[in-house]
């Protein structure tokens, strides 16, 4: 596809770097923007620009924040003694959306993956361990591991558990099982197997 | 969905103004951008910004251009005596991609639509008529109407034909019919009807 303008071509090229956006969608976005009021287009350009300048990360949990502390770490209403360890910020938002968790988080920023060259030092593991050692602002009693059920997630879980156990902190992991509303016959064997193995008291 | 940062929330809001992009995709885009090198994000922000400053329109055909004349109008290789009238720039690109057309274009910038408040004066109809009247740089012998087959497109076709006929220019319209590879039984009646009515000599 040959574009009649290099400015348009550059916009299409840049927009198609977004995940799941091909050249065709990128062109659609660019032509749409050309038809919008200048102010709206500048708003988008500026909002993207500010992602590089104004975004900060919470100094305790490494989640996205507008200030030094994220709203969750700064809230006196959250249970300070439980920390849920997640891979990324999306996971924090997913758990927050359930409205079932009132503790704190710790965003690792990835999982251990030798193939991708991600080692222990590339993740926020040291700050997790020092959070527990220092016990500030409150002693941490439980660490919930909510990492993905992949080889890399399991490796990270295993490593974290080995580090956390000697610290006398309770280490748990989120329940995996057949999703609510799903038919047993369509569940994969490993998930269904775990659901039976980790069955809970009726009404629990 | 509550976002932990107002900068992120504004980026999501702005990105979700793109056509077909919901809040969820916009969030995915924004979080993706946060993980990219700053230079790449600035490249996108800048490319969008330049859509408001650097895009020009061809003074003859109103297609997008980097300069006063678009590459098609400026090319001596194009047949100067045929002008294809289209609704928008996307249509120019679609026809160019077929590599079957060597004439010029005229982008109306829409079709007559009283419901949307688009009248004759809102479209580039006057410049089309003056192109034909002046006959520069070369006399125009044929005008191909390639507007959409909607009520609005038909209205615009009708109006243009009425204006063009007295000027002694040949007015044609693109063939509509059953698409190549399509089964007759699945074609809609109007399209199939036209295909029969406008049948062409075998091998033509």
């Amino acid at each position: 596809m040959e574009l009649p303008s290099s400015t348009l071509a550059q916009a299409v090229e840049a927009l198609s770097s977004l995940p799941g956006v091909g050249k065709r969608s990128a062109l659609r976005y660019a032509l749409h923007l050309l038809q919008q009021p200048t102010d709206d287009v500048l708003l988008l350009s500026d909002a993207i620009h500010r992602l590089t300048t104004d975004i900060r990360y919470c100094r305790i949990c490494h989640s996205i924040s507008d200030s030094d502390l994220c709203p969750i770490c700064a809230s006196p209403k959250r249970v300070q003694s439980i920390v849920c360890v997640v891979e990324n910020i999306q996971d924090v938002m997913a758990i927050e959306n359930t409205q079932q968790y009132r503790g704190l988080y710790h965003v690792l920023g990835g999982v251990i993956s030798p193939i991708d060259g991600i080692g222990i030092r590339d993740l926020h593991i040291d700050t997790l361990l020092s959070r527990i050692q220092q016990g500030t602002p409150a002693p941490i009693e439980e660490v919930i591991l909510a990492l993905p059920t992949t080889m890399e997630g399991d490796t990270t879980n295993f490593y974290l558990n080995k580090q956390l156990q000697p610290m006398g902190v309770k280490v748990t992991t989120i329940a995996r099982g057949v999703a609510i509303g799903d038919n047993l016959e369509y569940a994969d064997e490993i998930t269904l197997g775990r659901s039976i193995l980790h069955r809970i008291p009726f009404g629990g």
Side-chain angles (χ1 to χ4, degrees), chain A:
Chain A
M1 189 165 46
E2 211 174 305
L3 296 176
S5 143
S6 60
T7 306
L8 182 65
Q10 282 154 18
V12 169
E13 184 67 33
L15 283 163
S16 63
S17 74
L18 293 171
V21 176
K23 287 267 188 286
R24 205 172 261 270
S25 296
L27 176 62
R28 199 165 137 239
Y29 296 165
L31 292 171
H32 170 87
L33 289 172
L34 281 181
Q35 288 162 355
Q36 300 310 300
T38 303
D39 282 355
D40 289 4
V41 182
L42 292 180
L43 206 72
L44 173 61
S45 161
D46 186 47
I48 292 172
H49 188 276
R50 275 187 294 120
L51 287 179
T52 66
T53 53
D54 290 8
I55 285 277
R56 295 171 67 181
Y57 294 87
C58 174
R59 100 180 120 79
I60 294 181
C61 74
H62 310 290
S63 186
I64 284 177
S65 175
D66 280 333
S67 54
D68 191 38
L69 276 188
C70 77
I72 294 171
C73 284
S75 165
K77 289 186 186 163
R78 307 292 299 214
V79 177
Q80 309 280 325
S81 58
I82 308 178
V83 171
C84 181
V85 177
V86 292
E87 183 181 8
N88 53 39
I89 297 146
Q90 289 94 309
D91 297 336
V92 173
M93 290 192 242
I95 295 174
E96 281 301 288
N97 280 339
T98 68
Q99 304 190 331
Q100 295 293 321
Y101 180 66
R102 302 301 301 158
L104 305 177
Y105 292 95
H106 194 88
V107 179
L108 285 190
V111 283
I112 298 169
S113 174
I115 286 181
D116 301 318
I118 302 172
I120 291 152
R121 267 165 236 292
D122 301 311
L123 305 173
H124 297 301
I125 291 177
D126 49 347
T127 50
L128 171 66
L129 299 179
S130 62
R131 266 177 93 172
I132 294 158
Q133 270 165 343
Q134 291 169 8
T136 49
I140 290 159
E141 289 160 16
E142 180 178 353
V143 172
I144 306 172
L145 300 176
L147 298 176
T149 50
T150 56
M151 178 106 82
E152 292 77 18
D154 285 343
T155 306
T156 315
N157 274 337
F158 186 82
Y159 176 79
L160 289 178
N161 187 49
K162 222 176 86 180
Q163 301 292 316
L164 294 170
Q165 286 298 354
M167 296 173 141
V169 71
K170 185 174 162 194
V171 180
T172 57
T173 177
I174 61 166
R176 306 279 180 175
V178 180
I180 289 165
D182 270 11
N183 283 324
L184 296 198
E185 54 179 323
Y186 299 127
D188 69 281
E189 289 154 20
I190 298 173
T191 302
L192 184 54
R194 282 215 205 183
S195 278
I196 291 172
L197 212 63
H198 300 140
R199 61 196 178 276
I200 52 169
F202 186 76

